[in-house]
């Protein structure tokens, strides 16, 4: 669980970056760039400390920053986004239940208000030389500019991205739900479909197509989006566009026999019951073969058919980001899994030295969940604190207890102010569903948010929605 802290004014940060040139003198500077990349308001590089580079600002690396004694290292954070995204509330951003900025917390704020030291570089790590411990960074604001930095210890927490499973047309026509920009894109697509369908000369068949929302993937993300979409239709669109709202159709497509396969069967049955009651069509045992600009080709129990749609949201799985595969290629004899980086019980990347990895970019016995990455981050921060002054921390970490994941339970919102929850209780699992579970889900989200500011912002968004309804306005 993330502790709540007060807000603190953080001084402005300035950062020096280096462009790649072909002169030996500059090359030497580039190799030592990690010694000079720092905020003007922070302490300079300390040659007596090891340089710890963290890739990413997701659940795992952000938890490391919260628990790490940064005074023991020269800490450098590299990420194309300068904020932490609270992903459990991302589906609610697609329909205006929660505003995007409420679930985005600047990484400098998270670190700065704890009085810790950090250097942040807004860039993407695109290559690594494991022999010289050198990283190649591509700047987010100038993709043609590259920077090189060195590390003593490296933690890879670049996370995952959407997985199309090679399905034709998905990249071109579907919306995804992994980043804040994805939520904005879905919001815009829904708004445009409703406005197009509102013209009087639109044929009934075209109107029904435009107002058909298809969700591919029956995991928590797909189920929560379907529930949020239902709430938008019944609570807001029914008032704004009553002549259209009754034609809006929501279909959830899942390849497995049921949705939410990781949840208790009783909760799955309850979700299916609520979806049927709310008019959300479930098409299980259904595979998507291709996606066109107006229809998708599916097969249910071997019978193929075309499904017209206006908006399609692809929430059918994740895969490791490109850097994980770039690192895998450096040690191909050991890193043999195409799913991501193989790590051991101490989160060490197999076949490398002084490199750890955690979260969705890894392959281990743990599921790719936010709470897994968060627990991994807390465990690794404690180990690094204990071994900060040890010259062989990478090897000696195995003298400590290995990482063991302890489930804190599972939660999912399913619409109509209903949720499902599976929680550990001593040596048992208890299940909750209905309005009380929805209250518990909201309380959990408010507690888990990374700051008092974020918690108050989300609570305010919920209050505004209850009093005034949602807004689908979008840039």
């Amino acid at each position: 669980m993330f502790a709540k802290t007060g807000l603190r004014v953080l001084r402005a940060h300035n950062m020096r970056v280096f462009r790649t040139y072909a002169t030996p003198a500059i090359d030497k500077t580039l190799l030592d760039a990690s010694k000079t990349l720092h905020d003007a308001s922070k302490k300079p590089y300390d040659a007596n400390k090891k340089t710890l580079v963290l890739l990413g600002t997701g659940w795992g690396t952000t938890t490391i920053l919260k628990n790490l004694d940064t005074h023991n290292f020269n800490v450098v954070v590299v990420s194309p986004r300068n904020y932490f995204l609270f992903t459990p509330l991302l589906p609610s951003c697609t329909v205006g239940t929660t505003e995007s900025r409420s679930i985005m917390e600047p990484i400098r704020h998270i670190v700065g208000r704890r009085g810790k030291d950090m250097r942040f570089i807004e860039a993407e790590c695109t290559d690594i030389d494991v022999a010289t411990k050198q990283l190649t960074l591509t700047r987010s604001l100038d993709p043609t500019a590259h920077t090189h930095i060195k590390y003593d210890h490296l933690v890879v927490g670049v996370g995952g991205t959407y997985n199309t499973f090679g399905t034709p047309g998905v990249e071109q026509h579907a919306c995804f739900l992994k980043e804040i920009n994805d939520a904005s894109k879905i919001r815009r697509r829904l708004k445009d479909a409703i406005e197009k369908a509102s013209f009087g000369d639109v044929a009934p068949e075209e109107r029904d197509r435009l107002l058909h929302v298809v969700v591919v993937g029956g995991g928590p993300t797909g189920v929560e989006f379907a529930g949020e979409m239902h709430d938008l239709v019944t609570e807001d669109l029914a008032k704004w566009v009553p002549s259209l709202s009754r034609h809006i159709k929501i279909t959830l497509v899942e390849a497995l026999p049921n949705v939410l396969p990781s949840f208790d069967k009783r909760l799955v049955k309850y979700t299916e019951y609520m979806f049927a009651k709310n008019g959300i069509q479930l098409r299980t045992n259904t595979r998507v073969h291709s996606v066109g600009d107006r229809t998708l080709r599916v097969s249910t129990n071997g019978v193929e058919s075309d499904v017209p749609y206006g908006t399609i949201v692809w929430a059918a799985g994740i895969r490791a980001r490109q850097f994980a595969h770039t690192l895998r290629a450096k040690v191909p004899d050991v890193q043999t899994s195409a799913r991501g980086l193989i790590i051991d019980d101490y989160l060490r990347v197999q076949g490398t030295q002084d490199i750890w990895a955690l979260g969705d970019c890894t392959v281990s016995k743990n599921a790719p969940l936010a709470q897994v990455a968060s627990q991994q981050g807390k465990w690794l921060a404690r180990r690094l604190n204990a071994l900060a002054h040890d010259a062989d921390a990478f090897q000696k970490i195995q003298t400590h207890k290995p990482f063991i994941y302890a489930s804190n339970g599972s939660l999912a919102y399913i619409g109509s102010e209903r949720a499902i929850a599976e929680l550990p209780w001593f040596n048992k699992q208890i299940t909750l569903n209905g309005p009380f579970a929805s209250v518990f889900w909201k309380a959990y989200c408010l507690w888990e948010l990374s700051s008092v500011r974020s918690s108050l912002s989300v609570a305010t968004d919920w209050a505004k929605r209850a009093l005034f309804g949602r807004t689908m306005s979008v840039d």
Side-chain angles (χ1 to χ4, degrees):
M1 306 292 280
F2 297 114
K4 295 294 180 260
T5 61
L7 296 176
R8 179 181 296 176
V9 177
L10 188 62
R11 294 175 291 178
H13 293 75
N14 297 307
M15 180 177 65
R16 277 190 287 167
V17 292
F18 298 85
R19 186 182 296 271
T20 304
Y21 296 98
T23 63
I26 296 297
D27 282 345
K28 184 179 185 301
T29 303
L30 291 171
L31 291 175
D32 295 331
S34 59
K35 300 182 180 181
T36 51
L37 278 164
H38 65 273
D39 299 329
S41 61
K42 298 292 183 179
K43 297 177 182 178
Y45 174 86
D46 187 342
N48 297 317
K49 299 177 183 177
K50 298 287 187 179
T51 296
L52 171 64
V53 177
L54 307 177
L55 301 184
T57 51
W59 286 89
T61 48
T62 300
T63 306
I64 289 177
L65 289 170
K66 290 178 178 180
N67 292 274
L68 184 72
D69 184 353
T70 58
H71 299 97
N72 289 328
F73 300 93
N74 298 303
V75 180
V76 181
V77 179
V78 178
S79 176
R81 69 182 194 196
N82 64 355
Y83 58 87
F84 166 73
L85 180 65
F86 188 75
T87 50
L89 288 177
L90 192 57
S92 69
C93 291
T94 62
V95 298
T97 305
T98 307
E99 291 302 323
S100 299
R101 287 190 177 277
S102 299
I103 63 171
M104 301 162 63
E105 185 72 13
I107 199 68
R108 287 186 173 97
H109 291 189
I110 293 174
V111 175
R113 64 171 169 257
R114 289 172 169 80
K116 297 187 176 185
D117 248 351
M118 177 199 71
R119 288 65 163 142
F120 176 77
I121 308 173
E122 189 175 279
E124 182 175 1
C125 188
T126 53
D127 201 4
I128 180 173
D129 187 326
V130 294
T132 62
K133 294 188 174 181
Q134 177 183 326
L135 301 173
T136 300
L137 312 181
T138 300
R139 303 183 203 174
S140 298
L141 300 178
D142 185 2
T144 63
H146 302 286
T147 298
H148 298 271
I149 65 172
K150 276 199 164 187
Y151 66 87
D152 294 302
H153 300 301
L154 175 66
V155 178
V156 181
V158 294
T161 185
Y162 53 84
N163 192 348
T164 67
F165 302 100
T167 307
V170 176
E171 292 270 7
Q172 294 78 13
H173 306 296
C175 298
F176 303 99
L177 198 47
K178 281 293 294 179
E179 300 291 342
I180 205 68
N181 291 337
D182 297 332
S184 299
K185 182 179 178 180
I186 293 171
R187 202 166 173 172
R188 187 178 297 107
R189 187 76 61 89
L190 292 171
K191 187 267 294 181
D192 290 347
I194 293 169
E195 297 300 344
K196 289 178 182 178
S198 66
F199 286 96
D201 59 351
V202 176
E205 294 81 6
E206 175 65 4
R207 176 203 61 203
D208 291 342
R209 181 192 70 81
L210 287 168
L211 299 179
H212 188 196
V213 179
V214 176
V215 187
V216 180
T221 300
V223 167
E224 289 185 332
F225 172 74
E228 292 283 356
M229 186 66 204
H230 166 266
D231 290 352
L232 172 68
V233 174
T234 58
E235 296 174 7
D236 297 280
L237 298 184
K239 300 175 184 177
W240 302 342
V241 283
S243 61
L244 292 178
S245 64
R246 64 176 179 269
H247 296 288
I248 296 176
K249 181 181 177 182
I250 306 168
T251 300
L252 192 149
V253 177
E254 169 57 45
L256 297 176
N258 57 264
V259 297
L260 301 171
S262 63
F263 279 72
D264 185 276
K265 291 183 179 180
R266 291 168 293 180
L267 298 178
V268 173
K269 291 293 184 184
Y270 179 77
T271 301
E272 293 173 345
Y273 163 76
M274 286 302 304
F275 273 22
K277 182 179 178 180
N278 292 336
I280 301 174
Q281 182 183 18
L282 280 180
R283 294 191 61 169
T284 54
N285 291 310
T286 301
R287 296 185 178 276
V288 178
H289 295 287
S290 63
V291 178
D293 60 346
R294 300 167 66 88
T295 63
L296 63 152
R297 186 74 172 172
V298 302
S299 64
T300 304
N301 297 319
V303 179
E304 293 193 5
S305 62
D306 290 322
V307 180
Y309 74 88
T311 303
I312 179 170
V313 176
W314 189 271
I318 60 173
R319 59 181 174 84
R321 293 187 183 273
Q322 182 56 45
F323 179 76
H325 300 295
T326 299
L327 178 53
R328 281 181 51 238
K330 306 298 180 179
V331 282
D333 294 340
V334 180
Q335 293 292 331
T336 56
S337 174
R339 294 189 294 123
L341 296 169
I342 300 174
I343 58 174
D344 63 12
D345 291 340
Y346 298 90
L347 311 186
R348 297 177 297 188
V349 177
Q350 295 295 278
T352 68
Q353 180 70 25
D354 295 323
I355 302 178
W356 289 268
L358 68 178
D360 295 349
C361 65
T362 65
V363 177
S364 68
K365 58 188 178 184
N366 300 305
L369 301 172
Q371 61 175 298
V372 172
S374 180
Q375 290 185 29
Q376 288 175 328
K378 191 171 185 178
W379 181 91
L380 185 55
R382 289 175 174 174
R383 300 292 86 77
L384 290 173
N385 287 337
L387 298 169
H389 304 293
D390 199 310
D392 196 17
F394 191 73
Q395 298 299 330
K396 290 188 177 179
I397 197 172
Q398 66 188 36
T399 61
H400 294 254
K401 291 183 179 179
F403 171 75
I404 299 176
Y405 167 62
S407 174
N408 291 326
S410 301
L411 296 163
Y413 180 72
I414 61 174
S416 297
E417 295 301 321
R418 304 290 195 276
I420 56 175
E422 187 173 359
L423 305 170
W425 183 259
F426 295 103
N427 294 324
K428 297 181 180 180
Q429 292 283 334
I430 61 172
T431 59
L432 300 173
N433 59 56
F436 177 75
S438 179
V439 172
F440 185 86
W441 174 80
K442 290 181 178 180
Y444 172 81
C445 288
L446 293 177
W447 176 261
E448 281 288 305
L449 282 159
S450 57
S451 70
V452 173
R453 184 202 71 85
S454 294
S455 297
L456 289 176
S457 295
V458 169
T460 301
D461 290 342
W462 290 344
K464 289 191 297 183
R465 191 272 303 169
L467 292 172
F468 309 112
R470 298 168 179 82
T471 174
M472 285 296 287
S473 58
V474 65
D475 293 336

